[in-house]
Amino acid sequence: MKKIFKTGFMLIIILMLVSTTLIGCTKEDDEKENSNKQDVNESKQTSQIDDSYICDAEWLKGNLDKVVILDARGEKAYKKGHIPGAINVTWQGFSNMTGVPGDAGWGTVLDAEELSKKLSAIGVTKDKDVVVYCDTNGWGEDGRILWMLRMAGVENSVLLDGGWNYWEANGYEVSKEAITPASSDFEVSQLDMSTTIDTDALSKDLNKFKVIDTRNKDEYDGAMKFGEARGGHIPGSINIPFQTLLNEDGRLKSGDELEGIFKEAGIEKDDEIVTYCTAGIRSAHMQVIFKMMGYDKARNYDESFYRWAADENLELATK
């Protein structure tokens, strides 16, 4: 009897040891599996877009009476139909248009005093969000105006994702009523010049920057379509046409897609980036997207190719 009891007791001990080992192995396996799942999840994390720079059409639909809406397509398009409540503006209305393209300072943002008058006239305030849109098959005028608004300290300003094209294609309300804005007392205390660069500063330290040519490939290769003094591109610049960053419906590509485009071009987040185009419009749009993606050192060269090509002392490259 004692022998049976002793044998049984030993069997119980052995079973307990085996169970403990199995439980330990299972726990380790579970922990390993969970760790693997975490690694997979982390690898699937997407690059984030700063959505404080953008709004979607559905949000705007529900907030038409709570925001200042700027239609940047020009008067002719505006008269044919626009988002209800939108005010007709152009990028030129906020820029120095003295002289001709290629002159020093032509097309650059107005000074703080003049800009204060322009923004007050269209009712901009710090209390009301400002939404800018344009035709996304155009020149990125909405990006140019948003870039200017952010320079002026209007942090509550955003782009309409997809612009007019997406709004109209998806059957949102359209109006032909011309809007006369109520003026405000908005004042630009100081322009943030960290998001721009002039010709002298760029040319003196050209090798310091990752320069991005946001024009079409044929322009980059030398086509002269808009009265440029010479054809070609700034030496060492990387060609990324600004519409490369948009989907066919005009909406912005995903964070992962944008990150992929920038990485493929060899652009890193700590690079000193300068964007340019013909007159600083398409390049302003891309500068905004760089900022949205966390490339905080991106600047727009708003004198752009018009000015660079007009200065015979500055080199150009072609194919």
Side-chain angles (χ1 to χ4, degrees), residues 307-319:
R307 179 59 186 157
W308 191 279
D311 188 338
E312 294 286 348
N313 296 313
L314 299 176
E315 292 184 16
L316 285 175
T318 55
K319 296 179 183 179

Side-chain angles (χ1 to χ4, degrees), residues 258-259 262-263 267-271 273 287 289-298:
L258 295 173
E259 198 72 59
F262 298 150
K263 293 291 184 186
I267 307 166
E268 303 292 338
K269 288 194 174 178
D270 58 353
D271 285 336
I273 299 166
Q287 189 276 343
I289 295 175
F290 270 121
K291 291 289 284 185
M292 291 170 67
M293 290 296 298
Y295 293 75
D296 293 329
K297 297 179 182 178

